[in-house]
Short mmCIF file of all heavy atoms in Angstrom, two decimals:
data_model
loop_
_atom_site.label_atom_id
_atom_site.label_comp_id
_atom_site.label_asym_id
_atom_site.label_seq_id
_atom_site.Cartn_x
_atom_site.Cartn_y
_atom_site.Cartn_z
N ARG A 1074 43.07 8.77 4.62
CA ARG A 1074 42.21 9.12 3.48
C ARG A 1074 42.03 7.92 2.58
O ARG A 1074 40.95 7.67 2.08
CB ARG A 1074 42.83 10.27 2.71
CG ARG A 1074 42.71 11.60 3.42
CD ARG A 1074 43.51 12.64 2.72
NE ARG A 1074 43.04 12.85 1.36
CZ ARG A 1074 43.78 13.40 0.40
NH1 ARG A 1074 45.00 13.79 0.65
NH2 ARG A 1074 43.28 13.56 -0.80
N ASN A 1078 38.59 6.14 1.87
CA ASN A 1078 38.20 5.96 0.48
C ASN A 1078 37.86 4.50 0.20
O ASN A 1078 36.83 4.18 -0.35
CB ASN A 1078 39.36 6.42 -0.43
CG ASN A 1078 39.01 6.28 -1.90
OD1 ASN A 1078 37.96 6.73 -2.32
ND2 ASN A 1078 39.89 5.64 -2.65
N MET A 1081 34.58 3.40 1.98
CA MET A 1081 33.34 3.94 1.42
C MET A 1081 33.05 3.39 0.02
O MET A 1081 31.92 3.11 -0.32
CB MET A 1081 33.38 5.47 1.38
CG MET A 1081 33.45 6.12 2.74
SD MET A 1081 32.30 5.46 3.96
CE MET A 1081 30.76 6.11 3.35
N SER A 1085 29.81 1.16 -1.11
CA SER A 1085 28.96 1.39 -2.27
C SER A 1085 28.80 0.12 -3.11
O SER A 1085 27.71 -0.22 -3.56
CB SER A 1085 29.53 2.55 -3.09
OG SER A 1085 29.31 2.35 -4.44
N TYR A 1086 29.91 -0.63 -3.30
CA TYR A 1086 29.82 -1.91 -3.99
C TYR A 1086 28.90 -2.85 -3.23
O TYR A 1086 28.05 -3.53 -3.79
CB TYR A 1086 31.21 -2.56 -4.11
CG TYR A 1086 32.01 -2.09 -5.29
CD1 TYR A 1086 32.59 -0.82 -5.29
CD2 TYR A 1086 32.20 -2.90 -6.40
CE1 TYR A 1086 33.34 -0.38 -6.36
CE2 TYR A 1086 32.94 -2.46 -7.48
CZ TYR A 1086 33.51 -1.20 -7.45
OH TYR A 1086 34.23 -0.77 -8.53
N SER A 1088 26.50 -2.22 -1.14
CA SER A 1088 25.07 -1.90 -1.14
C SER A 1088 24.42 -2.42 -2.42
O SER A 1088 23.28 -2.86 -2.40
CB SER A 1088 24.83 -0.41 -0.96
OG SER A 1088 25.52 0.32 -1.92
N VAL A 1092 21.29 -4.97 -2.21
CA VAL A 1092 20.02 -4.68 -2.85
C VAL A 1092 19.59 -5.83 -3.76
O VAL A 1092 18.41 -6.16 -3.84
CB VAL A 1092 20.11 -3.36 -3.64
CG1 VAL A 1092 18.90 -3.19 -4.52
CG2 VAL A 1092 20.24 -2.20 -2.68
N LEU A 1096 15.89 -9.42 -3.92
CA LEU A 1096 15.28 -9.73 -5.20
C LEU A 1096 15.54 -11.18 -5.58
O LEU A 1096 14.63 -11.93 -5.95
CB LEU A 1096 15.83 -8.80 -6.28
CG LEU A 1096 15.23 -9.03 -7.65
CD1 LEU A 1096 13.82 -8.51 -7.70
CD2 LEU A 1096 16.06 -8.40 -8.73
N TYR A 1102 12.68 -18.20 -4.26
CA TYR A 1102 11.62 -18.80 -3.46
C TYR A 1102 10.33 -18.93 -4.26
O TYR A 1102 9.66 -19.95 -4.22
CB TYR A 1102 11.38 -17.94 -2.22
CG TYR A 1102 10.93 -18.75 -1.05
CD1 TYR A 1102 11.86 -19.35 -0.21
CD2 TYR A 1102 9.58 -18.94 -0.79
CE1 TYR A 1102 11.45 -20.12 0.86
CE2 TYR A 1102 9.15 -19.71 0.27
CZ TYR A 1102 10.09 -20.29 1.09
OH TYR A 1102 9.69 -21.06 2.13
N PHE A 1158 -0.72 17.46 -25.05
CA PHE A 1158 -0.90 18.84 -24.60
C PHE A 1158 0.36 19.34 -23.88
O PHE A 1158 0.86 20.42 -24.18
CB PHE A 1158 -2.11 18.93 -23.67
CG PHE A 1158 -2.31 20.26 -23.04
CD1 PHE A 1158 -2.99 21.26 -23.70
CD2 PHE A 1158 -1.79 20.53 -21.77
CE1 PHE A 1158 -3.17 22.51 -23.13
CE2 PHE A 1158 -1.96 21.78 -21.19
CZ PHE A 1158 -2.65 22.77 -21.87
N GLU A 1161 3.27 19.95 -26.26
CA GLU A 1161 3.12 21.04 -27.21
C GLU A 1161 2.98 22.41 -26.55
O GLU A 1161 3.34 23.43 -27.14
CB GLU A 1161 1.92 20.76 -28.13
CG GLU A 1161 2.34 19.83 -29.24
CD GLU A 1161 1.17 19.21 -29.96
OE1 GLU A 1161 0.05 19.72 -29.78
OE2 GLU A 1161 1.37 18.23 -30.67
N GLN A 1162 2.43 22.41 -25.36
CA GLN A 1162 2.27 23.69 -24.66
C GLN A 1162 3.37 23.88 -23.63
O GLN A 1162 3.19 24.56 -22.63
CB GLN A 1162 0.91 23.75 -23.94
CG GLN A 1162 -0.26 23.37 -24.80
CD GLN A 1162 -0.63 24.49 -25.75
OE1 GLN A 1162 -0.61 25.64 -25.38
NE2 GLN A 1162 -0.94 24.13 -26.98
N GLY A 1180 1.27 10.19 -7.18
CA GLY A 1180 1.73 9.90 -5.83
C GLY A 1180 0.62 9.55 -4.86
O GLY A 1180 0.88 9.15 -3.73
N PRO A 1182 -1.89 7.43 -2.86
CA PRO A 1182 -1.93 6.00 -2.55
C PRO A 1182 -3.09 5.33 -3.30
O PRO A 1182 -4.18 5.90 -3.40
CB PRO A 1182 -2.18 5.97 -1.05
CG PRO A 1182 -1.75 7.28 -0.55
CD PRO A 1182 -1.99 8.25 -1.66
N VAL A 1185 -6.48 5.11 -1.69
CA VAL A 1185 -7.32 6.31 -1.70
C VAL A 1185 -8.16 6.36 -2.98
O VAL A 1185 -9.35 6.69 -2.96
CB VAL A 1185 -6.46 7.58 -1.53
CG1 VAL A 1185 -7.28 8.83 -1.76
CG2 VAL A 1185 -5.81 7.62 -0.16
N TRP A 1191 -15.17 3.58 -4.81
CA TRP A 1191 -16.27 3.00 -4.03
C TRP A 1191 -17.35 4.05 -3.79
O TRP A 1191 -18.53 3.81 -4.01
CB TRP A 1191 -15.72 2.47 -2.70
CG TRP A 1191 -16.78 1.86 -1.83
CD1 TRP A 1191 -17.20 0.57 -1.87
CD2 TRP A 1191 -17.54 2.51 -0.81
NE1 TRP A 1191 -18.18 0.37 -0.95
CE2 TRP A 1191 -18.42 1.54 -0.28
CE3 TRP A 1191 -17.58 3.81 -0.31
CZ2 TRP A 1191 -19.32 1.83 0.73
CZ3 TRP A 1191 -18.47 4.10 0.71
CH2 TRP A 1191 -19.33 3.13 1.21
N GLN A 1192 -16.90 5.23 -3.36
CA GLN A 1192 -17.84 6.30 -3.04
C GLN A 1192 -18.63 6.75 -4.27
O GLN A 1192 -19.81 7.07 -4.17
CB GLN A 1192 -17.02 7.48 -2.48
CG GLN A 1192 -17.74 8.80 -2.36
CD GLN A 1192 -18.42 8.92 -1.01
OE1 GLN A 1192 -18.40 8.00 -0.21
NE2 GLN A 1192 -19.03 10.05 -0.76
N ARG A 1196 -21.11 2.76 -3.94
CA ARG A 1196 -22.09 3.18 -2.95
C ARG A 1196 -23.44 3.55 -3.56
O ARG A 1196 -24.46 3.01 -3.15
CB ARG A 1196 -21.53 4.36 -2.14
CG ARG A 1196 -22.44 4.80 -1.02
CD ARG A 1196 -21.81 5.96 -0.28
NE ARG A 1196 -21.82 5.69 1.15
CZ ARG A 1196 -21.28 6.50 2.05
NH1 ARG A 1196 -20.65 7.59 1.68
NH2 ARG A 1196 -21.35 6.21 3.33
N LYS A 1244 -1.28 21.96 -38.41
CA LYS A 1244 -0.66 21.62 -37.13
C LYS A 1244 -1.18 20.30 -36.59
O LYS A 1244 -0.42 19.47 -36.10
CB LYS A 1244 -0.97 22.72 -36.11
CG LYS A 1244 0.06 23.84 -36.08
CD LYS A 1244 -0.24 24.71 -34.88
CE LYS A 1244 0.66 25.91 -34.82
NZ LYS A 1244 0.11 26.91 -33.87
N TRP A 1245 -2.49 20.11 -36.68
CA TRP A 1245 -3.03 18.90 -36.06
C TRP A 1245 -2.61 17.65 -36.80
O TRP A 1245 -2.34 16.63 -36.20
CB TRP A 1245 -4.55 18.99 -35.91
CG TRP A 1245 -5.34 18.91 -37.19
CD1 TRP A 1245 -5.66 19.94 -38.01
CD2 TRP A 1245 -5.91 17.75 -37.76
NE1 TRP A 1245 -6.39 19.50 -39.08
CE2 TRP A 1245 -6.56 18.16 -38.96
CE3 TRP A 1245 -5.93 16.39 -37.40
CZ2 TRP A 1245 -7.23 17.26 -39.79
CZ3 TRP A 1245 -6.59 15.50 -38.23
CH2 TRP A 1245 -7.24 15.93 -39.41
N SER A 1248 0.95 16.96 -35.83
CA SER A 1248 1.02 16.35 -34.49
C SER A 1248 0.64 14.89 -34.52
O SER A 1248 1.34 14.03 -33.97
CB SER A 1248 0.09 17.09 -33.52
OG SER A 1248 0.74 18.24 -33.05
N ARG A 1270 2.01 -2.05 -14.24
CA ARG A 1270 1.87 -1.53 -12.89
C ARG A 1270 0.47 -1.78 -12.34
O ARG A 1270 0.31 -2.27 -11.23
CB ARG A 1270 2.20 -0.04 -12.92
CG ARG A 1270 1.79 0.73 -11.71
CD ARG A 1270 2.98 1.11 -10.85
NE ARG A 1270 2.50 1.84 -9.70
CZ ARG A 1270 2.45 3.15 -9.64
NH1 ARG A 1270 2.90 3.86 -10.65
NH2 ARG A 1270 1.99 3.75 -8.58
N THR A 1275 -3.72 -4.41 -6.01
CA THR A 1275 -4.73 -5.09 -5.23
C THR A 1275 -5.62 -4.11 -4.49
O THR A 1275 -6.85 -4.21 -4.53
CB THR A 1275 -4.08 -6.01 -4.17
OG1 THR A 1275 -2.97 -6.66 -4.76
CG2 THR A 1275 -5.06 -7.03 -3.66
N ARG A 1337 10.58 -2.92 -23.03
CA ARG A 1337 11.97 -2.64 -23.36
C ARG A 1337 12.25 -2.81 -24.83
O ARG A 1337 12.97 -2.03 -25.45
CB ARG A 1337 12.90 -3.55 -22.56
CG ARG A 1337 13.09 -3.02 -21.18
CD ARG A 1337 14.07 -3.76 -20.35
NE ARG A 1337 14.25 -2.95 -19.15
CZ ARG A 1337 15.38 -2.33 -18.87
NH1 ARG A 1337 16.42 -2.46 -19.64
NH2 ARG A 1337 15.46 -1.58 -17.79
N GLY B 1427 -9.55 22.57 -37.95
CA GLY B 1427 -8.95 21.33 -37.46
C GLY B 1427 -7.98 21.59 -36.32
O GLY B 1427 -7.98 20.89 -35.31
N ASP B 1428 -7.15 22.64 -36.50
CA ASP B 1428 -6.18 22.96 -35.45
C ASP B 1428 -6.85 23.36 -34.15
O ASP B 1428 -6.44 22.97 -33.07
CB ASP B 1428 -5.25 24.09 -35.93
CG ASP B 1428 -4.18 23.56 -36.86
OD1 ASP B 1428 -4.19 22.33 -37.10
OD2 ASP B 1428 -3.38 24.36 -37.35
N TYR B 1431 -8.30 20.32 -32.59
CA TYR B 1431 -7.25 19.48 -32.03
C TYR B 1431 -6.78 20.05 -30.70
O TYR B 1431 -6.66 19.35 -29.69
CB TYR B 1431 -6.09 19.40 -33.02
CG TYR B 1431 -4.86 18.75 -32.46
CD1 TYR B 1431 -4.80 17.38 -32.27
CD2 TYR B 1431 -3.74 19.52 -32.13
CE1 TYR B 1431 -3.67 16.79 -31.75
CE2 TYR B 1431 -2.61 18.93 -31.62
CZ TYR B 1431 -2.57 17.57 -31.42
OH TYR B 1431 -1.46 16.99 -30.91
N GLN B 1432 -6.54 21.37 -30.70
CA GLN B 1432 -6.06 21.99 -29.48
C GLN B 1432 -7.11 21.90 -28.37
O GLN B 1432 -6.78 21.63 -27.21
CB GLN B 1432 -5.70 23.45 -29.73
CG GLN B 1432 -4.85 24.01 -28.61
CD GLN B 1432 -4.26 25.36 -28.96
OE1 GLN B 1432 -4.44 25.84 -30.07
NE2 GLN B 1432 -3.57 25.95 -28.01
N ALA B 1439 -6.11 17.21 -21.02
CA ALA B 1439 -5.16 17.64 -20.00
C ALA B 1439 -5.89 18.14 -18.76
O ALA B 1439 -5.46 17.89 -17.63
CB ALA B 1439 -4.25 18.73 -20.55
N GLU B 1452 -14.75 13.92 -3.16
CA GLU B 1452 -15.57 12.76 -2.82
C GLU B 1452 -15.09 12.09 -1.53
O GLU B 1452 -15.91 11.65 -0.72
CB GLU B 1452 -15.55 11.73 -3.97
CG GLU B 1452 -16.43 12.12 -5.14
CD GLU B 1452 -17.91 12.18 -4.78
OE1 GLU B 1452 -18.33 11.51 -3.83
OE2 GLU B 1452 -18.65 12.92 -5.46
N GLY B 1507 23.83 4.40 -1.80
CA GLY B 1507 25.01 3.60 -2.11
C GLY B 1507 24.93 2.99 -3.50
O GLY B 1507 25.88 3.07 -4.27
N VAL B 1508 23.79 2.42 -3.82
CA VAL B 1508 23.62 1.81 -5.14
C VAL B 1508 23.73 2.88 -6.23
O VAL B 1508 24.38 2.68 -7.25
CB VAL B 1508 22.25 1.10 -5.25
CG1 VAL B 1508 21.98 0.68 -6.68
CG2 VAL B 1508 22.23 -0.11 -4.36
N PHE B 1511 27.25 3.82 -6.66
CA PHE B 1511 27.92 2.72 -7.36
C PHE B 1511 27.64 2.79 -8.85
O PHE B 1511 28.55 2.70 -9.67
CB PHE B 1511 27.44 1.39 -6.77
CG PHE B 1511 27.95 0.19 -7.51
CD1 PHE B 1511 29.26 -0.23 -7.34
CD2 PHE B 1511 27.12 -0.52 -8.36
CE1 PHE B 1511 29.74 -1.35 -8.01
CE2 PHE B 1511 27.60 -1.63 -9.04
CZ PHE B 1511 28.91 -2.04 -8.87
N PHE B 1515 31.15 4.18 -9.98
CA PHE B 1515 32.13 3.10 -9.92
C PHE B 1515 31.89 1.96 -10.88
O PHE B 1515 32.83 1.33 -11.34
CB PHE B 1515 32.18 2.51 -8.51
CG PHE B 1515 32.55 3.50 -7.46
CD1 PHE B 1515 31.83 3.59 -6.29
CD2 PHE B 1515 33.62 4.35 -7.65
CE1 PHE B 1515 32.16 4.50 -5.33
CE2 PHE B 1515 33.96 5.28 -6.69
CZ PHE B 1515 33.22 5.35 -5.52
N PHE B 1526 18.94 -2.72 -13.99
CA PHE B 1526 17.77 -3.52 -14.36
C PHE B 1526 17.22 -4.25 -13.14
O PHE B 1526 16.00 -4.26 -12.90
CB PHE B 1526 18.15 -4.51 -15.46
CG PHE B 1526 17.02 -5.37 -15.95
CD1 PHE B 1526 15.93 -4.79 -16.58
CD2 PHE B 1526 17.05 -6.74 -15.76
CE1 PHE B 1526 14.88 -5.58 -17.02
CE2 PHE B 1526 15.99 -7.53 -16.20
CZ PHE B 1526 14.91 -6.95 -16.83
N LEU B 1527 18.11 -4.83 -12.33
CA LEU B 1527 17.68 -5.54 -11.12
C LEU B 1527 16.94 -4.60 -10.18
O LEU B 1527 15.89 -4.94 -9.63
CB LEU B 1527 18.89 -6.14 -10.38
CG LEU B 1527 19.45 -7.45 -10.93
CD1 LEU B 1527 20.60 -7.93 -10.06
CD2 LEU B 1527 18.37 -8.51 -10.98
N VAL B 1546 8.07 -16.01 4.40
CA VAL B 1546 9.52 -16.12 4.55
C VAL B 1546 10.07 -15.10 5.55
O VAL B 1546 10.75 -15.46 6.51
CB VAL B 1546 10.22 -15.95 3.18
CG1 VAL B 1546 11.73 -16.11 3.34
CG2 VAL B 1546 9.69 -16.96 2.18
N GLY B 1618 43.62 16.67 -6.00
CA GLY B 1618 44.23 15.58 -5.24
C GLY B 1618 43.28 14.82 -4.36
O GLY B 1618 43.70 14.09 -3.47
N TRP B 1622 36.50 8.93 -3.11
CA TRP B 1622 35.43 9.15 -2.14
C TRP B 1622 35.30 10.63 -1.79
O TRP B 1622 34.21 11.16 -1.69
CB TRP B 1622 35.64 8.31 -0.89
CG TRP B 1622 34.62 8.65 0.14
CD1 TRP B 1622 34.80 9.32 1.30
CD2 TRP B 1622 33.21 8.40 0.04
NE1 TRP B 1622 33.61 9.50 1.94
CE2 TRP B 1622 32.62 8.94 1.20
CE3 TRP B 1622 32.39 7.78 -0.91
CZ2 TRP B 1622 31.25 8.88 1.43
CZ3 TRP B 1622 31.04 7.71 -0.68
CH2 TRP B 1622 30.48 8.26 0.48
N GLU B 1623 36.48 11.28 -1.59
CA GLU B 1623 36.44 12.72 -1.26
C GLU B 1623 35.81 13.51 -2.40
O GLU B 1623 35.07 14.47 -2.18
CB GLU B 1623 37.85 13.23 -0.98
CG GLU B 1623 38.37 12.79 0.37
CD GLU B 1623 39.87 12.98 0.52
OE1 GLU B 1623 40.56 13.15 -0.50
OE2 GLU B 1623 40.35 12.94 1.66
N ARG B 1647 5.75 7.16 -1.01
CA ARG B 1647 5.38 5.79 -1.37
C ARG B 1647 5.12 4.97 -0.12
O ARG B 1647 4.16 4.21 -0.05
CB ARG B 1647 6.50 5.11 -2.16
CG ARG B 1647 6.73 5.70 -3.51
CD ARG B 1647 5.82 5.06 -4.53
NE ARG B 1647 5.79 5.89 -5.72
CZ ARG B 1647 4.85 5.84 -6.63
NH1 ARG B 1647 3.86 5.00 -6.51
NH2 ARG B 1647 4.89 6.63 -7.67
N MET B 1653 -0.83 -3.16 0.55
CA MET B 1653 -1.03 -4.61 0.68
C MET B 1653 0.08 -5.30 1.47
O MET B 1653 -0.18 -6.03 2.42
CB MET B 1653 -1.15 -5.26 -0.70
CG MET B 1653 -2.33 -4.78 -1.51
SD MET B 1653 -3.82 -4.48 -0.56
CE MET B 1653 -4.20 -6.12 -0.01
N PHE B 1684 -12.57 -1.98 5.39
CA PHE B 1684 -13.55 -1.26 4.60
C PHE B 1684 -14.70 -2.14 4.11
O PHE B 1684 -15.87 -1.78 4.25
CB PHE B 1684 -12.88 -0.58 3.39
CG PHE B 1684 -13.66 0.56 2.85
CD1 PHE B 1684 -13.45 1.84 3.33
CD2 PHE B 1684 -14.61 0.38 1.87
CE1 PHE B 1684 -14.17 2.91 2.84
CE2 PHE B 1684 -15.34 1.44 1.38
CZ PHE B 1684 -15.12 2.72 1.87
N GLU B 1690 -22.74 3.29 9.06
CA GLU B 1690 -22.34 4.52 8.39
C GLU B 1690 -21.09 5.15 9.00
O GLU B 1690 -20.17 5.54 8.29
CB GLU B 1690 -23.49 5.55 8.49
CG GLU B 1690 -24.49 5.51 7.37
CD GLU B 1690 -23.87 5.56 5.99
OE1 GLU B 1690 -23.28 6.60 5.65
OE2 GLU B 1690 -23.97 4.56 5.26
N MET B 1697 -13.13 6.48 5.78
CA MET B 1697 -12.97 7.54 4.77
C MET B 1697 -12.11 8.68 5.34
O MET B 1697 -11.29 9.26 4.63
CB MET B 1697 -14.33 8.09 4.37
CG MET B 1697 -15.10 7.20 3.43
SD MET B 1697 -14.58 7.56 1.74
CE MET B 1697 -15.73 6.62 0.80
N LEU B 1704 -4.59 11.11 2.14
CA LEU B 1704 -4.57 11.89 0.91
C LEU B 1704 -3.88 13.24 1.12
O LEU B 1704 -2.99 13.62 0.35
CB LEU B 1704 -6.01 12.09 0.43
CG LEU B 1704 -6.28 12.92 -0.81
CD1 LEU B 1704 -7.23 12.18 -1.72
CD2 LEU B 1704 -6.90 14.26 -0.47
N THR B 1707 -0.05 12.70 1.81
CA THR B 1707 0.75 12.29 0.66
C THR B 1707 0.84 13.40 -0.38
O THR B 1707 1.87 13.54 -1.04
CB THR B 1707 0.21 11.01 -0.01
OG1 THR B 1707 -1.20 11.14 -0.18
CG2 THR B 1707 0.49 9.80 0.83
N ASN B 1711 4.48 14.65 -1.45
CA ASN B 1711 4.87 14.56 -2.85
C ASN B 1711 5.18 15.92 -3.46
O ASN B 1711 6.10 16.05 -4.27
CB ASN B 1711 3.78 13.88 -3.68
CG ASN B 1711 3.90 12.38 -3.61
OD1 ASN B 1711 4.92 11.83 -4.01
ND2 ASN B 1711 2.91 11.73 -3.05
#
Side-chain angles (χ1 to χ4, degrees):
Chain A
R1074 286 171 62 200
N1078 181 50
M1081 295 314 288
S1085 146
Y1086 276 74
S1088 55
V1092 168
L1096 181 73
Y1102 211 87
F1158 174 85
E1161 278 165 14
Q1162 311 284 319
V1185 171
W1191 180 87
Q1192 167 89 357
R1196 184 180 230 177
K1244 270 190 184 165
W1245 70 273
S1248 277
R1270 165 107 180 265
T1275 319
R1337 279 185 171 248
Chain B
D1428 281 359
Y1431 171 74
Q1432 196 169 356
E1452 284 296 335
V1508 171
F1511 174 76
F1515 300 133
F1526 181 64
L1527 280 182
V1546 182
W1622 174 251
E1623 285 166 343
R1647 292 273 164 199
M1653 298 322 295
F1684 202 90
E1690 271 308 294
M1697 283 275 188
L1704 177 133
T1707 47
N1711 276 299

